[in-house]
Amino acid sequence: MSEARRGPRERMVFSAAQLIRRDGVAATGLREVAAHAGAPRGSLQHYFPGGKEQLVNEAVAWAGRYAGKRIARFLAGLEEPTPSGLFAAMAAQWTDEYAADGFAAGCPVAAATVECASAGGSTREAVAAAFALWRNPLADALTDLGVPAARAASLATLMISTLEGAILLARAAQDTAPLTTAVRELGPLLDAAVVPVR
């Protein structure tokens, strides 16, 4: 959905996700979200009666759905889809962003996890659900690529864990090398999990 076609509520959820991925949850204020979204400040109370916690939870859920939907798009862009090719496409999204825009932003789900998971409550549940919204389509894609279903979920978890760690290391080093290393080292393991059709 283009920015112009989003309503104020959707713009605020999107803006919250963008600000969280750049600044973290604690530094993302409701006023900043409203300004970023071009929405009236008073509309926050209307759309998010649960306050910042509700907005953060919805932003995290949006990010999980976005990541899950990207899996099909990554696969569609591959001439010969393989698990390693899928992981390379997932990492390329980040190497491309960092090459174009610098290393200011990371994953909003990871940012919310770091800041909120130890507190428990609804945001911890929201981040767990967001990772599932990403992991489940990824596991399904691996199964479609020939990975046995019994192994696909654990490999999807490994792929996401490796990618999130590589993003963190890339931001710390201000260098995409951790992402390219992750692709090079994990790719053969992923492809080796495919069971050939007999």
Side-chain angles (χ1 to χ4, degrees):
M1 181 184 298
S2 71
E3 189 70 28
R5 295 181 56 201
R6 288 187 177 119
R9 186 179 203 292
E10 292 80 12
R11 289 197 316 270
M12 286 186 279
V13 170
F14 174 80
S15 290
Q18 299 313 305
L19 293 171
I20 290 167
R21 71 189 292 261
R22 187 187 72 202
D23 302 327
V25 172
T28 297
L30 296 178
R31 288 183 184 150
E32 290 82 10
V33 171
H36 188 274
R41 272 190 10 211
S43 62
L44 281 162
Q45 184 72 29
H46 172 72
Y47 291 117
F48 305 100
K52 183 175 178 177
E53 184 175 6
Q54 180 186 356
L55 179 59
V56 168
N57 293 352
E58 291 193 31
V60 164
W62 174 88
R65 287 189 305 274
Y66 175 81
K69 289 176 185 174
R70 294 281 298 171
I71 300 303
R73 285 184 271 183
F74 290 141
L75 284 171
L78 298 175
E79 278 186 40
E80 293 183 34
T82 61
S84 65
L86 174 57
F87 185 67
M90 291 167 63
Q93 173 185 355
W94 291 95
T95 55
D96 293 348
E97 176 180 332
Y98 291 151
D101 301 326
F103 294 85
C107 172
V109 182
T113 302
V114 168
E115 291 188 50
C116 303
S118 65
S122 67
T123 301
R124 190 214 52 80
E125 293 168 6
V127 296
F131 278 123
L133 288 169
W134 186 8
R135 185 180 56 249
N136 295 340
L138 182 53
D140 291 343
L142 291 173
T143 302
D144 292 344
L145 292 171
V147 174
R151 191 152 182 227
S154 61
L155 286 178
T157 298
L158 178 63
M159 291 168 75
I160 292 170
S161 301
T162 302
L163 182 60
E164 289 287 12
I167 290 167
L168 184 65
L169 291 170
R171 291 182 74 195
Q174 300 284 288
D175 187 344
T176 59
L179 289 157
T180 56
T181 298
V183 169
R184 184 179 65 247
E185 296 297 333
L186 189 58
L189 181 138
L190 296 172
D191 288 341
V194 173
V195 174
V197 177
R198 297 181 186 197

